[in-house]
Amino acid sequence: MPVKVAVYAGKPAVLAYEFLDPLRHFGLPFSFLRDEELVKLPSYDVLLVPGGYTGNYIPSMGSKGVRILLEFVEGGGGYVGVCAGAYVAGLLKLVKSEPVRVEGIGWVEIEVRKPDHPVMRGYSGKVRIHYQNGPHIRPAEGEESLATYADGSTAILSAKFGKGRVILFSPHPERSRSTWRMLLNALLYAAQL
């Protein structure tokens, strides 16, 4: 059975529709969920939280949406956060790591640190990926740095929250076909499929 993906598409998630092409390419069943539709989250395997206006996510979701999201992940649902979605995971305490804001837009190289991890399957060495103001992450104990930036900070993080799996991307894997497989790997791993 394929993974069922919910893509958060509340007002602040202005980059949600960038995921249309990779999700369609892999034939994954997915739905865009606005804030009031987060009540449907328990019928999905994984929540994909895209880039957008970080400071507006939690107020837009509201206390009920936040509670549903946290219960979903804690109960075994997956969370894949990209850029703002990675910052939001920190704000929601889904991870203990510290996100450091670094401004910049463009193509960067990340170094794969855990090529044997399921999220990094098919990738090794340096990988070119698009960056747009994502967090440079300092992992906490028990969290895995899967890939790093040149400054040594984490670009892709794997963590657990309750029974759920959390994968955070500081850069944007959806913006290049060469990194779409990484996104697919993350969705499958987070969904525990």
Side-chain angles (χ1 to χ4, degrees):
M1 178 198 295
V3 61
K4 289 173 59 183
V5 180
V7 181
Y8 174 66
K11 284 185 183 179
V14 295
L15 301 180
Y17 294 94
E18 288 191 357
F19 290 89
L20 272 171
D21 287 342
L23 292 171
R24 285 178 176 160
H25 175 78
F26 292 113
L28 298 178
F30 66 93
S31 299
F32 289 101
L33 299 185
R34 295 183 303 270
D35 295 306
E36 65 277 7
E37 295 172 312
L38 287 172
V39 295
K40 300 176 183 176
L41 194 52
S43 64
Y44 292 87
D45 299 309
V46 61
L47 174 64
L48 174 56
V49 181
Y53 299 109
T54 305
N56 297 339
Y57 277 60
I58 293 172
S60 189
M61 288 176 181
S63 58
K64 182 178 179 182
V66 166
R67 181 180 48 77
I68 291 167
L69 188 160
L70 292 173
E71 288 173 358
F72 170 74
V73 181
E74 189 170 30
Y79 181 102
V80 175
V82 175
C83 195
Y87 283 114
V88 169
L91 295 172
L92 293 173
K93 305 296 186 205
L94 290 172
V95 294
K96 297 174 189 159
S97 60
E98 179 187 344
V100 177
R101 183 158 178 84
V102 177
E103 292 187 18
I105 299 175
W107 294 95
V108 297
E109 281 190 339
I110 58 174
E111 180 82 29
V112 175
R113 296 294 178 192
K114 302 260 179 147
D116 294 332
H117 191 283
V119 172
M120 304 313 298
R121 189 175 294 123
Y123 296 90
S124 62
K126 293 187 177 178
V127 176
R128 192 168 179 263
I129 194 166
H130 199 265
Y131 177 80
Q132 185 174 338
N133 305 317
H136 283 223
I137 304 167
R138 294 186 184 137
E141 188 176 338
E143 298 176 349
E144 290 185 273
S145 179
L146 305 183
T148 57
Y149 289 114
D151 66 4
S153 64
T154 295
I156 303 172
L157 181 88
S158 176
K160 292 184 178 176
F161 182 78
K163 296 178 182 174
R165 292 178 178 172
V166 177
I167 301 296
L168 303 183
F169 287 91
S170 166
H172 290 264
E174 76 279 13
R175 291 195 175 157
S176 172
R177 282 184 176 266
S178 65
T179 50
W180 282 4
R181 174 67 59 177
M182 200 181 292
L183 176 64
L184 174 66
N185 291 347
L187 292 168
L188 294 175
Y189 177 77
Q192 303 188 44
L193 295 177

